[in-house]
Amino acid sequence: METPDANVRIGARLKHARLLMGLSLAELGQRVGVTEGFLSKLENGRSQASIGTLHKLVQALDTNMSTLFAAPPEGEGAVTVVRANERPRLETGHIRAGNKVVLERLVPHRPDQLLQINIHVIPAGGGSPDVISHGGQEFGYVLTGAFTLIVDGHQRRLAEGDSFYFDSSLPHGYRNEGTAEARVLWVNTPPTF
């Protein structure tokens, strides 16, 4: 489970990016279609946004999702290690809204990184129903469970052992309509999400 400190850290990073761009809460809210009050709660770690909303925010703030996860890796040099119990986790959305997803960061953000690698933990009834698009390519492998991937209006039901690939510029989203959690190894390049 994500700690309250992680929500505060992510909110502080969003606020920092907003202030660097000289935007008010109202201006940013208007750009991404959310209220000033919601943004204030998000920046102060008192609310969680869906993946779709976070994606709109980082695009409007000229940054990417990787910066929200940034954590110092273990050791220096050619090999980066992230221990299973030390993975940065970002909880997004709410199960009642049908947009709950937990992202487990497998590789911490570094400026020279070409890949972004997460495990998307999608609870039953959760997902990212708001379609998004961005530059790049995506690959995934279903570790456990099943979910529906929607790319450019086409739906594909995927189950344990299945893999997928698509161009990230196509509108895409996903949902778990099953009764069990799904865990998906998800790779983006470049790390724009």
Side-chain angles (χ1 to χ4, degrees):
M1 180 124 210
E2 183 180 82
T3 64
D5 290 344
N7 279 341
V8 171
R9 183 180 66 244
I10 289 163
R13 288 179 179 161
L14 288 170
K15 182 175 184 175
H16 179 73
R18 177 180 61 78
L19 293 174
L20 284 176
M21 292 190 71
L23 296 173
S24 69
L25 286 169
E27 291 168 326
L28 179 58
Q30 186 175 24
R31 287 186 184 188
V32 299
V34 297
T35 67
E36 184 177 341
F38 173 75
L39 283 176
S40 177
K41 288 179 182 177
L42 188 61
E43 287 185 353
N44 290 299
R46 296 190 324 262
S47 186
Q48 295 176 171
S50 68
I51 288 179
T53 299
L54 284 173
H55 188 264
K56 289 176 190 174
L57 283 166
V58 297
Q59 282 189 323
L61 294 170
D62 197 27
T63 186
N64 62 54
M65 292 286 285
S66 295
T67 61
L68 298 181
F69 283 100
E74 178 182 303
E76 298 292 328
V79 177
T80 299
V81 174
V82 178
R83 304 287 177 197
N85 62 343
E86 296 174 358
R87 285 185 197 134
R89 293 169 51 95
L90 174 64
E91 288 192 30
T92 67
H94 301 278
I95 197 67
R96 287 187 308 269
N99 61 2
K100 174 92 173 172
V101 177
V102 176
L103 302 177
E104 292 183 9
R105 177 65 111 195
L106 296 179
V107 178
H109 175 66
R110 293 172 30 168
D112 61 343
Q113 179 179 327
L114 299 177
L115 299 175
Q116 180 178 3
I117 308 167
N118 296 309
I119 294 176
H120 288 221
V121 182
I122 314 163
S128 180
D130 299 328
V131 294
I132 60 173
S133 60
H134 49 90
Q137 301 171 351
E138 301 189 31
F139 161 83
Y141 177 78
V142 183
L143 300 168
T144 61
F147 76 108
T148 300
L149 177 67
I150 304 126
V151 178
D152 202 24
H154 301 283
Q155 297 186 25
R156 300 284 189 267
R157 184 78 176 151
L158 300 166
E160 187 173 326
D162 292 343
S163 59
F164 60 88
Y165 165 87
F166 61 90
D167 185 311
S168 304
S169 67
L170 298 172
H172 55 280
Y174 55 88
R175 63 181 177 269
N176 180 351
E177 298 167 325
T179 58
E181 173 182 276
R183 295 177 61 83
V184 183
L185 176 66
W186 209 296
V187 180
N188 294 54
T189 186
T192 55
F193 174 70

